[in-house]
Amino acid sequence: MRAVGFTEFGGPEVMRVLELPEPHAGPGQVRIKVAAADVNWSDTVSRSGYVRTLSPGSFPQSDAYVVGWDAAGVIDEVGDGVRAKLAVGTDALALVWPRLTLGAQAEYVVAPAESVVRAPRGVELTAASTLLMNGVTARQALELLEVGPGATVAVIGAAGTVGGYAVQLAKAAGLTVIADAAERDRDLVAALGADHVVPRGDAVADAILRLRPDGVDGLIDTAQFNGAAATAVRDGAVVAVLRPLAGSSSWDTSTTDRGVRWRIVNVTKDMDDTSGLTELCEQAESGVLTLRVAATFAPEQAKEAHALIEAGGVRGRPVLVF
């Protein structure tokens, strides 16, 4: 089968189509004939070799690596012990951990049944492929803030995929949302539901504090605004981030002298949360979540997809179409 991956770490140019053995579903597993697989920032970080440096166990020595967390397609094999809803012929999404050659960017993907859910009805599989990994990231970041209905939270990087989902999930949870946006993205972020839109850039914390002088109750930083984000939250609040802070060499959390806590999202903790994955699909069906595709690419164009996302300013996710 064809899969998208690399045989050496480096820039977008190392991405290529690999020929690998076709996998088959075993007990408790489902195989999906993949129609689409999105490309995320984490794929570029893995390809660069940074994740291997940070967490060697995630990338043991191998002749090839296949990246990708999200697969969207049609179930074509089901192992013993799989729930009846995951029948052959069902449109489905899988959230997979891309270790070695087990990433989602391949013609066929085998995943534990707990990590596979029916695709949202009425949503094209290309768009649906952008949902699970980014949706889990946004939801977990929101949960890390430990706030309840009526609280005010800020989202930095709100025009991006994870940031946009975070805005929409926060509004669905009854929160007031302050979100940043470049001038060209103001209408987009407002349409996602943000109550207040402040200018993106180095002065974003000051803009948030003008609206909430004591600081917001929690902040999700999807754009690596890093240490300055702590100035925009109240004492004892949480800042949720997607990667270790700049200059950090670990995933450890930390606390500032005002009791502001940094918490880091870890998608792998929720990969087998079938009810949570199902809820995200239902939210996509109902319109709570807006799915956005930046551009589509053939597998042979993977390096262009990686270059696009690394260039920044992408609104939505690049998607590989098989």
Side-chain angles (χ1 to χ4, degrees):
M1 72 168 183
R2 294 186 306 158
V4 173
F6 53 91
T7 57
E8 59 182 329
F9 296 102
E13 70 279 357
V14 304
M15 297 301 298
R16 64 196 62 198
V17 174
L18 308 172
E19 285 294 334
L20 298 174
E22 187 177 306
H24 294 280
Q29 295 180 325
V30 170
R31 189 176 83 162
I32 293 176
K33 188 178 189 304
V34 178
D38 69 343
V39 178
N40 289 288
W41 265 106
S42 58
D43 300 328
T44 71
V45 173
S46 296
R47 184 213 69 229
S48 72
Y50 175 67
V51 172
R52 188 180 188 185
T53 300
L54 188 67
S55 178
S58 299
F59 280 85
Q61 188 62 42
S62 175
D63 292 334
Y65 301 94
V66 174
V67 291
W69 295 75
D70 292 303
V74 180
I75 295 173
D76 75 338
E77 283 185 7
V78 176
D80 293 337
V82 171
R83 62 190 188 278
K85 287 184 178 180
L86 301 181
V88 171
T90 301
D91 286 353
L93 307 183
L95 182 59
V96 303
W97 190 355
R99 291 170 291 180
L100 301 175
T101 57
L102 301 179
Q105 294 171 13
E107 287 185 296
Y108 294 94
V109 167
V110 171
E114 293 80 6
S115 300
V116 179
V117 291
R118 179 184 55 77
R121 294 186 180 91
V123 177
E124 292 186 358
L125 290 173
T126 302
S129 74
T130 70
L131 176 60
L132 292 186
M133 192 270 199
N134 295 287
V136 168
T137 301
R139 185 178 62 203
Q140 192 179 118
L142 189 60
E143 291 171 349
L144 290 173
L145 300 187
E146 300 175 356
V147 297
T152 297
V153 299
V155 179
I156 295 178
T161 304
V162 174
Y165 287 165
V167 170
Q168 293 185 303
L169 291 174
K171 289 303 301 176
L175 305 178
T176 297
V177 179
I178 301 173
D180 74 333
E183 188 59 36
R184 70 184 179 95
D185 293 322
R186 287 188 64 87
D187 290 345
L188 166 64
V189 173
L192 292 172
D195 297 283
H196 307 279
V197 182
V198 298
R200 179 176 174 82
D202 293 340
V204 65
D206 293 335
I208 293 170
L209 289 171
R210 282 195 289 273
L211 291 168
R212 290 292 186 275
D214 294 330
V216 292
D217 299 304
L219 184 147
I220 297 173
D221 179 8
T222 75
Q224 285 192 290
F225 194 60
N226 292 330
T231 65
V233 301
R234 61 169 174 76
D235 292 357
V238 171
V239 177
V241 295
L242 310 189
R243 295 181 292 279
L245 303 183
S248 171
S249 60
S250 74
W251 295 91
D252 293 340
T253 58
S254 58
T255 305
T256 73
D257 56 3
R258 292 195 299 117
V260 175
R261 293 161 290 157
W262 295 90
R263 296 292 180 264
I264 303 172
V265 171
N266 182 357
V267 172
T268 62
K269 292 169 53 180
D270 293 332
M271 295 187 65
D272 59 355
D273 178 10
T274 307
S275 62
L277 301 180
T278 300
E279 183 180 23
L280 287 172
C281 290
E282 292 171 347
Q283 289 171 317
E285 280 185 6
S286 67
V288 170
L289 293 175
T290 302
L291 311 185
R292 291 178 285 156
V293 174
T296 58
F297 298 86
E300 293 79 8
Q301 297 173 305
K303 63 181 180 181
E304 286 86 355
H306 277 238
L308 175 65
I309 201 167
E310 285 191 335
V314 179
R315 300 301 172 243
R317 284 286 181 252
V319 176
L320 300 176
V321 178
F322 285 86

